[in-house]
Amino acid sequence: MDSTCFNTAQRHSCQMMNPDLFKPPADLRQAGQPSKPNRSKTEQIRPELAQLVVDTKTGRSYSKGKLLGKGGFARCYEMTDLANNKMYAVKVIPQSRVSKPHQRDKITNEIELHKTLQHKHVVKFSHHFEDQDNIYIFLELCSRKSLAHIWKARHTLTDPEVRYYLRQIISGLKYLHSKGILHRDLKLGNFFVNENMELRLGDFGLAAKLETVEQRKKTICGTPNYLAPEVLNRQGHGTESDVWSLGCVMYTLLCGNPPFETLDLKETYKCIKEVRYSLPPSLSPAAQKLISAVLQKNPSDRLTLDQILAHEYFSKGFTPDKLPPSACVMVPELNPPSPAKKFFTKMAKSLFGKKKSKVEKNPTEEKEDISKLVSGMMKHSISRQISYKTVGVNETTSPAGQLASSGPLDTPAEEESRKSVSRSFKGTVASSTEVCEDALTPAAVAEAAMNALNSCLSTMPAASKNPPCLVKPKPFVWVTKWVDYSNKYGFGYQLSNQNVGVLFNEGTHLSLCDQRRTVHYCLTNNKHFTFQANALPEQLQNQKHIVELMANYMEQNLMEGGDLGCDERPSPGACPLLLQWMKTDHALVMLFNNGSLQVNFYTDHTKVILSKLSDSYVLTYISRERLSSSYPLSVLGERGSSPELRHRLRYVTQLLQHYASA
């Protein structure tokens, strides 16, 4: 046992490792694990990492953010490069932990190995440096943490989700094996998930070069529940050992616990060596067959990675192209794609999915391409979340996941229920009521924005870059975070002044404002009510609770969409209401009752915000680097913009045109 590598005092963590996950109910030391060595006081009390870290060789400065994870060997922090606001996950290893040559060699080997890896499903290595206190390893930041965090919140996942994650793990693993690298520590905590719900394989602290059977390392290293029989029997590591761990991962995600987990570590090892585990009847037959074919005692009897992908579990089962962020904490609603969906995906790749051509298309060709794409989307009703054209008296709104172009009128029962709610508020607990008979409709907001953009684009001269932006744009409210839970409740969003709102599926809207002290509620007939949060009617408590749940989820799991660089913060009292939201495969469009419009592009996280100020518009563009620039729309029309921004403005305009004519 003295050569095991899973003792937390001997292991270092990568990115957001959670050391408490997979720990058996009984402490492992009671089952024979060696106790942690006594440490000196200097080792036990680590000095606090400075708020500002400077690379003396390059002169670059990094601001320390929140702690992402920690282990016995290292800590991982979120850090921001102050030169460009780029964010990283930074593994910080104290120099005191690598004072011995073999410890230093281990870190050096990890760095040198990780530097050579370039793959979509492997955590990106950026750079590293050290000072007298620490070694700093800068890695790709995966904002949705790891599969271990998702597993902890969900306990079990559905078959389509497991297929989705396994495909990406296998893709990354095939890449490693093709380069002669064994990971040797595959577990949920080492599969990181980025903002787009894409998986990245990380933590190469135990990775090693593939060797012949005679040369294979006989060290027992990895996580106890995921160790292969040949590793425990000191027969060495091969690619088959990683495949075994993959089978354990699949079992854990589907069943809620690792296959060989027991209360006693020795018993766990015995179960692994004897391949003694049970398959719950709740598993699909295909899943049971695949797990059985992977968890074979003899390494040569196990399926290869290619054979796993060819198995009926994958070939006959639906795998989603992507998962919604809500899948981190709840079961997502997943539907197999229709032929129309496949058509639109193919069309969309022609616009967003390829590298930029060195020869830029002329505006006419570009406009025709975008028009074909958007009209194809509207024609085939792809990803349409438009459920009404206007909001009027006695007209319901249901913007969640419906393909109907317009919502039906209230049924008599719904109408009476709505009137009853309205009567119960009137003249009692509501501090103010207002009927906005001349309120803007989604169609009016879309049409006004479309006309303004068309006017701008029609006069816009060719330019290679954007004009100088406003030095200090006036503060305005925009959406910094959002979550689509329309399969059950509605669409939630957080504004830049920290107010949070949800547009519910039945068309009502509830917002928590002024640091959640005030509640704004809007009925489908545009009648608004304002309450103090501590005096909210009983009828609205459930909706308020849902808004709070979404707010907490966004606070804990989502990063803000960029930095506008305004000296002033928008007024906390400003609370524009979301009138409607629409989604394509590449963008989210949000229309607000103050005449503003926001479009978020998924692939590169750029954003276009059109703010209505008096009788004119100000356009704010948030770039891939999360940096913002604001311009009066009239200035862009006179001076031109970069091809990147012009391309997005044309896409938005075409989308609004087809929406207005739908």
Side-chain angles (χ1 to χ4, degrees), residues 3-7 10-11 106 182-186 205-208 217-224 226-228 231-232 234 236-237 241-242 245 269:
S3 62
T4 54
C5 299
F6 54 81
N7 189 322
Q10 300 168 331
R11 290 280 291 113
K106 189 174 182 181
L182 301 175
H183 189 278
R184 301 204 304 169
D185 194 20
L186 295 179
L206 295 181
K217 294 179 175 63
K218 305 302 189 293
T219 302
I220 301 177
C221 63
T223 301
Y226 295 81
L227 295 177
V231 176
L232 288 176
R234 298 185 183 276
H237 293 78
S241 302
D242 279 346
S245 299
Y269 284 172

Side-chain angles (χ1 to χ4, degrees), residues 308-420:
I308 291 173
L309 289 177
H311 192 272
E312 64 175 301
Y313 181 74
F314 286 95
S315 63
K316 296 183 179 180
F318 164 60
T319 304
D321 292 330
K322 59 185 177 182
L323 293 177
S326 59
C328 292
V329 294
M330 59 191 72
V331 179
E333 182 178 352
L334 301 172
N335 297 307
S338 63
K341 174 87 171 177
K342 293 178 181 177
F343 164 83
F344 180 68
T345 300
K346 184 177 180 181
M347 290 292 293
K349 284 182 179 178
S350 69
L351 181 63
F352 292 102
K354 296 181 179 179
K355 293 182 179 179
K356 292 183 179 179
S357 172
K358 294 182 179 178
V359 180
E360 184 182 347
K361 293 182 179 180
N362 64 52
T364 303
E365 291 174 334
E366 180 184 290
K367 185 173 181 179
E368 288 176 356
D369 281 353
I370 299 172
S371 178
K372 289 177 182 177
L373 171 69
V374 178
S375 61
M377 176 195 68
M378 304 300 286
K379 180 180 178 182
H380 292 274
S381 298
I382 303 303
S383 294
R384 283 187 71 183
Q385 309 240 358
I386 305 168
S387 60
Y388 55 93
K389 297 177 182 176
T390 60
V391 178
V393 178
N394 295 337
E395 191 173 355
T396 62
T397 58
S398 177
Q402 304 299 321
L403 297 181
S405 61
S406 177
L409 295 178
D410 290 343
T411 64
E414 290 169 337
E415 170 69 6
E416 180 56 34
S417 174
R418 185 173 53 75
K419 287 180 178 179
S420 175

Side-chain angles (χ1 to χ4, degrees), residues 513-639:
C513 307
D514 191 23
Q515 297 181 341
R516 305 193 186 185
R517 292 193 291 260
T518 306
V519 177
H520 291 301
Y521 184 69
C522 179
L523 288 166
T524 57
N525 62 356
N526 286 321
K527 192 164 188 176
H528 294 245
F529 299 85
T530 303
F531 307 92
Q532 293 303 306
N534 58 5
L536 193 67
E538 184 66 28
Q539 301 97 311
L540 298 183
Q541 290 294 343
N542 285 341
Q543 282 181 286
K544 176 175 177 284
H545 180 61
I546 292 169
V547 176
E548 289 172 335
L549 287 175
M550 291 198 194
N552 292 338
Y553 169 77
M554 289 187 282
E555 178 65 28
Q556 295 172 17
N557 294 279
L558 306 182
M559 296 194 321
E560 294 201 346
D563 180 14
L564 291 192
C566 299
D567 292 338
E568 306 174 53
R569 295 288 288 181
S571 166
C575 197
L577 296 181
L578 178 66
L579 293 177
Q580 187 168 321
W581 59 281
M582 302 168 281
K583 289 173 77 174
T584 72
D585 276 356
H586 287 272
L588 165 70
V589 184
M590 293 169 281
L591 307 173
F592 290 87
N593 69 342
N594 62 357
S596 296
L597 165 79
Q598 180 170 330
V599 182
N600 292 13
F601 292 91
Y602 312 136
T603 51
D604 55 12
H605 308 297
T606 57
K607 297 168 183 67
V608 172
I609 306 168
L610 201 59
S611 306
K612 188 74 177 292
L613 302 177
S614 300
D615 294 328
S616 61
Y617 284 97
V618 170
L619 186 138
T620 299
Y621 180 57
I622 300 179
S623 68
R624 294 177 175 86
E625 293 75 28
R626 299 163 56 84
L627 302 177
S628 68
S629 304
S630 294
Y631 319 90
L633 202 56
S634 57
V635 171
L636 289 179
E638 294 171 1
R639 302 189 186 181

Side-chain angles (χ1 to χ4, degrees), residues 114 129 171 286 306 498 501:
H114 203 164
F129 66 86
S171 176
D306 284 327
Q498 304 305 307

Side-chain angles (χ1 to χ4, degrees), residues 226-358:
Y226 295 81
L227 295 177
E230 65 270 20
V231 176
L232 288 176
N233 291 326
R234 298 185 183 276
Q235 295 170 311
H237 293 78
T239 56
E240 304 87 359
S241 302
D242 279 346
V243 171
W244 172 279
S245 299
L246 186 66
C248 294
V249 166
M250 177 182 175
Y251 185 102
T252 304
L253 291 175
L254 288 173
C255 303
N257 55 274
F260 305 102
E261 184 179 63
T262 68
L263 298 181
D264 181 88
L265 188 60
K266 289 182 179 179
E267 181 63 23
T268 293
Y269 284 172
K270 186 177 180 182
C271 289
I272 292 173
K273 291 178 180 180
E274 297 174 359
V275 193
R276 180 158 35 93
Y277 67 99
S278 61
L279 287 167
S282 57
L283 290 180
S284 66
Q288 293 188 37
K289 291 178 186 176
L290 179 54
I291 291 172
S292 298
V294 171
L295 297 182
Q296 290 288 316
K297 184 175 183 179
N298 189 336
S300 62
D301 291 337
R302 290 172 207 155
L303 297 185
T304 64
L305 294 177
D306 284 327
Q307 288 172 333
I308 291 173
L309 289 177
H311 192 272
E312 64 175 301
Y313 181 74
F314 286 95
S315 63
K316 296 183 179 180
F318 164 60
T319 304
D321 292 330
K322 59 185 177 182
L323 293 177
S326 59
C328 292
V329 294
M330 59 191 72
V331 179
E333 182 178 352
L334 301 172
N335 297 307
S338 63
K341 174 87 171 177
K342 293 178 181 177
F343 164 83
F344 180 68
T345 300
K346 184 177 180 181
M347 290 292 293
K349 284 182 179 178
S350 69
L351 181 63
F352 292 102
K354 296 181 179 179
K355 293 182 179 179
K356 292 183 179 179
S357 172
K358 294 182 179 178

